[in-house]
Amino acid sequence: MNVIAWVDESKARELKSAAEVLDAEAAGELTIEQPGVVINMPFVVWDGGKR
């Protein structure tokens, strides 16, 4: 898990790719922290919406 925070929340915008997130971090627009938490959650959705 990564915790991402905007440096200036008034300039927050939707980022649609990992590259956009990393570019924004490099530009000093946001920070990325890795708190050391592992999340075990399947992302596969079966018919009927079940995971």
Side-chain angles (χ1 to χ4, degrees), residues 26-50:
E29 297 177 287
L30 55 84
T31 59
I32 301 174
E33 294 181 34
Q34 296 178 334
V37 176
V38 177
I39 299 172
N40 184 8
M41 180 179 170
F43 287 94
V44 176
V45 179
W46 302 104
D47 290 337
K50 293 185 179 182

Side-chain angles (χ1 to χ4, degrees), residues 7-35:
V7 172
D8 181 353
E9 291 183 14
S10 69
K11 295 182 180 179
R13 63 187 185 284
E14 182 179 8
L15 303 175
K16 297 184 179 186
S17 70
E20 287 182 351
V21 172
L22 295 175
D23 288 346
E25 180 191 29
E29 297 177 287
L30 55 84
T31 59
I32 301 174
E33 294 181 34
Q34 296 178 334

